[in-house]
Amino acid sequence: CNACGAMLAAFCELNGVREAVVLADNDKPGISGAVSLQLPCPSVVVLTPTKDVREFVRLGGTKAQLENLIAGAIWSQPK
Protein backbone atom coordinates (compact mmCIF):
# COMPACT_ATOMS: atom_id res chain seq x y z
CA CYS A 1 0.00 0.00 0.00
CA ASN A 2 2.70 2.50 0.88
CA ALA A 3 4.39 2.36 -2.50
CA CYS A 4 1.26 3.11 -4.48
CA GLY A 5 -0.64 5.39 -2.08
CA ALA A 6 -0.16 8.57 -4.12
CA MET A 7 -1.10 6.76 -7.34
CA LEU A 8 -4.22 5.35 -5.74
CA ALA A 9 -5.27 8.77 -4.43
CA ALA A 10 -4.71 10.31 -7.88
CA PHE A 11 -6.71 7.49 -9.49
CA CYS A 12 -9.60 8.15 -7.11
CA GLU A 13 -9.59 11.87 -7.88
CA LEU A 14 -9.26 11.46 -11.66
CA ASN A 15 -12.01 8.86 -11.86
CA GLY A 16 -14.49 10.40 -9.45
CA VAL A 17 -14.34 7.53 -6.97
CA ARG A 18 -16.81 8.36 -4.20
CA GLU A 19 -16.03 5.49 -1.77
CA ALA A 20 -13.12 3.09 -1.45
CA VAL A 21 -12.81 -0.28 0.24
CA VAL A 22 -9.24 -1.31 1.04
CA LEU A 23 -8.86 -5.07 1.48
CA ALA A 24 -5.70 -5.22 3.55
CA ASP A 25 -3.46 -8.18 4.26
CA ASN A 26 -4.11 -9.39 7.78
CA ASP A 27 -0.63 -8.73 9.15
CA LYS A 28 1.13 -5.74 10.70
CA PRO A 29 2.64 -4.33 7.46
CA GLY A 30 -0.63 -4.82 5.56
CA ILE A 31 -2.76 -3.17 8.22
CA SER A 32 -0.43 -0.22 8.81
CA GLY A 33 -0.02 0.35 5.06
CA ALA A 34 -3.76 0.31 4.48
CA VAL A 35 -4.49 2.59 7.42
CA SER A 36 -1.84 5.09 6.30
CA LEU A 37 -3.42 5.61 2.87
CA GLN A 38 -4.62 9.18 2.40
CA LEU A 39 -7.58 8.81 0.06
CA PRO A 40 -9.63 11.78 -1.18
CA CYS A 41 -12.93 9.97 -0.53
CA PRO A 42 -14.60 8.13 2.34
CA SER A 43 -12.84 4.81 2.82
CA VAL A 44 -12.79 1.70 4.96
CA VAL A 45 -10.08 -0.87 5.69
CA VAL A 46 -11.41 -4.42 5.76
CA LEU A 47 -9.55 -7.49 7.02
CA THR A 48 -10.53 -11.02 6.13
CA PRO A 49 -10.15 -13.72 8.79
CA THR A 50 -7.32 -15.18 6.69
CA LYS A 51 -3.82 -13.95 5.72
CA ASP A 52 -5.13 -12.06 2.68
CA VAL A 53 -8.00 -11.93 0.19
CA ARG A 54 -6.43 -14.54 -2.11
CA GLU A 55 -6.34 -17.06 0.73
CA PHE A 56 -9.88 -16.08 1.74
CA VAL A 57 -11.16 -16.91 -1.76
CA ARG A 58 -9.03 -20.05 -2.05
CA LEU A 59 -10.54 -21.35 1.19
CA GLY A 60 -14.09 -20.77 -0.03
CA GLY A 61 -14.76 -17.19 1.05
CA THR A 62 -17.68 -15.68 -0.83
CA LYS A 63 -18.72 -12.29 -2.17
CA ALA A 64 -21.57 -12.25 0.36
CA GLN A 65 -19.11 -12.80 3.22
CA LEU A 66 -16.95 -9.92 1.98
CA GLU A 67 -20.03 -7.71 1.67
CA ASN A 68 -20.92 -8.54 5.29
CA LEU A 69 -17.42 -7.58 6.44
CA ILE A 70 -17.69 -4.29 4.56
CA ALA A 71 -21.19 -3.58 5.89
CA GLY A 72 -19.94 -3.96 9.46
CA ALA A 73 -16.89 -1.74 9.00
CA ILE A 74 -16.45 1.84 10.17
CA TRP A 75 -15.90 4.32 7.34
CA SER A 76 -13.46 7.19 7.64
CA GLN A 77 -13.68 10.58 5.99
CA PRO A 78 -10.84 12.17 3.96
CA LYS A 79 -8.27 14.06 6.01
Side-chain angles (χ1 to χ4, degrees):
C1 282
N2 290 331
C4 65
M7 277 189 348
L8 184 56
F11 175 87
C12 290
E13 286 185 4
L14 289 171
N15 292 285
V17 174
R18 294 184 306 200
E19 295 178 332
V21 174
V22 180
L23 297 169
D25 285 358
N26 200 349
D27 57 18
K28 189 173 181 172
I31 295 166
S32 65
V35 169
S36 72
L37 288 175
Q38 298 291 315
L39 299 179
C41 60
S43 61
V44 65
V45 174
V46 174
L47 301 173
T48 63
T50 57
K51 176 188 174 297
D52 56 27
V53 175
R54 287 178 295 228
E55 184 176 271
F56 177 76
V57 171
R58 186 177 57 78
L59 294 174
T62 66
K63 178 182 174 184
Q65 289 171 319
L66 277 178
E67 289 171 341
N68 285 334
L69 290 171
I70 294 166
I74 299 171
W75 288 77
S76 64
Q77 297 300 315
K79 295 178 181 174

